[in-house]
Amino acid sequence: MPPPRRGGGGGLIIGLIGGGLVFLIIIAVVVYAVTVSGGKSPEEKLTAAASNMDTARAVELKGTFGGAQTLRGELNVTKGGRAMGPVTWGGDNVTVLAADGKLFVKADKSYWEKEISIDDPYYLKSGEQWGRLDDDELNLDFKTQLSPSALASKIRSARTLRVKPAETTWQGKKALKFSTFSSTIYITDEDDAKLLRYEATTPRVALDVTPKDSGDASTLISDMRKSMGELTDSFNSSARPSVDEWKKGGCNSDSGCTVQAKIRPPFGVEKPVTIEVRYRLTAGTLTGRDLGNCTTKVTIRTSASEWASCRVSTSAWRSWAKSTGGTFYKHAQYKVIGATSAEVQALQNGLDSE
């Protein structure tokens, strides 16, 4: 009887070793895949994106901003919620500056002629000018809705809701897209994730997002400070003062006419308010020959009317008074200053916290 064959166990051992090798290779592939794709979960990437946004001094937003009318363009928003940038608004190219509950727009004469509901405002010039609008014209609260901290809060909300992301790309970058009932958030698909895009229904926005580093933020804050300094020459486009009472007399000389009126401040404007008043005289009728004009300023600190006066002493008045005289009519036009020196200083001081 031949002896039993030996060595049968070697195949088993080789098989076990081979199987172990395959198992190790599988583990290595899994580890490599995890390393390549990023080790953090989508929730952890949301946390990273929120932290990165929270530390930004400012954020650049490009796209559409909803409101009474849609804005399209680029706004930079600081951590304190102050915003400035070039946009298209109602078909016009303008610069928007929103800070501390005040809204200003820099635009050319054609824009303001449509915006101001009076005929031929005397203070409008060719070129761009700063004007103040009612803050509800824009219907956006940048501090609570679009500042870096507000956007960071939106990112954290997506994590709290445990939204399952969709893998996608945005502007050539791998991204994770998180959609909720009120907003959509895109972040980079990496461990140190950053917010790429924010879309929402309240407020109605669709924006590409770029956090600003310290150097870029310092530059835009400096530009904002400079623009704020220009606001002492701005006007309030919606404020409407009126004459409470004309003072009689002062126009009995052919050398000139002293025009004086009690000016009622515009409704709903913060006090003190400075009003530039331009008095104009016409001969015979309301639309008669122009006899000249003069300009003065009055600062009103309460709701009570204040007297404002100046003297018309033009050659047209002197010629008319000497040769003809008779009935003449007084007219008043106004430029309500958009920001007093104190208001401008307060706006600029607010930037110190940025």
Side-chain angles (χ1 to χ4, degrees), residues 146-173:
L146 294 173
S147 65
S149 60
L151 292 172
S153 178
K154 304 296 184 182
I155 299 170
R156 292 191 182 96
S157 294
R159 173 169 181 166
T160 301
L161 294 172
R162 297 186 177 276
V163 178
K164 185 177 180 180
E167 294 183 358
T168 185
T169 58
W170 190 260
Q171 294 186 339
K173 296 180 180 179

Side-chain angles (χ1 to χ4, degrees), residues 16 35 52 59 71 128 138 155 157 176 182 185-186 196 218 234 255 260 263 274 280 294 332 346:
L16 290 173
T35 302
N52 282 326
V59 61
L71 277 64
E128 293 186 321
L138 193 52
I155 299 170
S157 294
L176 296 177
S182 61
I185 291 170
Y186 294 74
L196 288 173
S218 295
S234 68
S255 64
Q260 189 171 10
I263 305 301
T274 298
R280 186 171 64 90
C294 65

Side-chain angles (χ1 to χ4, degrees), residues 22 70 98 110 114 134 145 149 162 165 177 188 197 208-209 251 276 287 304 310 319 328 334 345-346:
V22 171
T70 299
S110 62
K114 292 182 292 184
D134 291 337
Q145 295 172 332
S149 60
R162 297 186 177 276
K177 176 182 177 182
T188 55
R197 185 168 175 82
D208 291 338
V209 179
C251 297
E276 182 179 280
T287 58
C310 62
S319 174
F328 65 92
Y334 316 93
Q345 188 64 57

Side-chain angles (χ1 to χ4, degrees), residues 20 50 60 136-137 142 211 222 316 336 352:
E60 176 187 276
D136 59 3
E137 287 269 350
F142 290 101
S222 177
V336 179
D352 295 340

Side-chain angles (χ1 to χ4, degrees), residues 60-73:
E60 176 187 276
L61 304 175
K62 287 184 178 180
T64 59
F65 303 80
Q69 299 184 58
T70 299
L71 277 64
R72 291 179 175 84

Side-chain angles (χ1 to χ4, degrees), residues 14-92:
I14 291 172
L16 290 173
I17 292 174
L21 183 60
V22 171
F23 181 66
L24 290 174
I25 291 172
I26 292 172
I27 291 175
V29 170
V30 170
V31 170
Y32 174 75
V34 169
T35 302
V36 170
S37 65
K40 291 186 176 181
S41 67
E43 290 78 11
E44 290 171 322
K45 292 176 183 179
L46 281 171
T47 298
S51 296
N52 282 326
M53 183 56 64
D54 246 342
T55 58
R57 289 182 66 195
V59 61
E60 176 187 276
L61 304 175
K62 287 184 178 180
T64 59
F65 303 80
Q69 299 184 58
T70 299
L71 277 64
R72 291 179 175 84
E74 174 186 329
L75 292 175
N76 289 295
V77 183
T78 66
K79 66 179 181 180
R82 298 169 177 91
M84 191 175 81
V87 296
T88 300
W89 193 353
D92 294 282

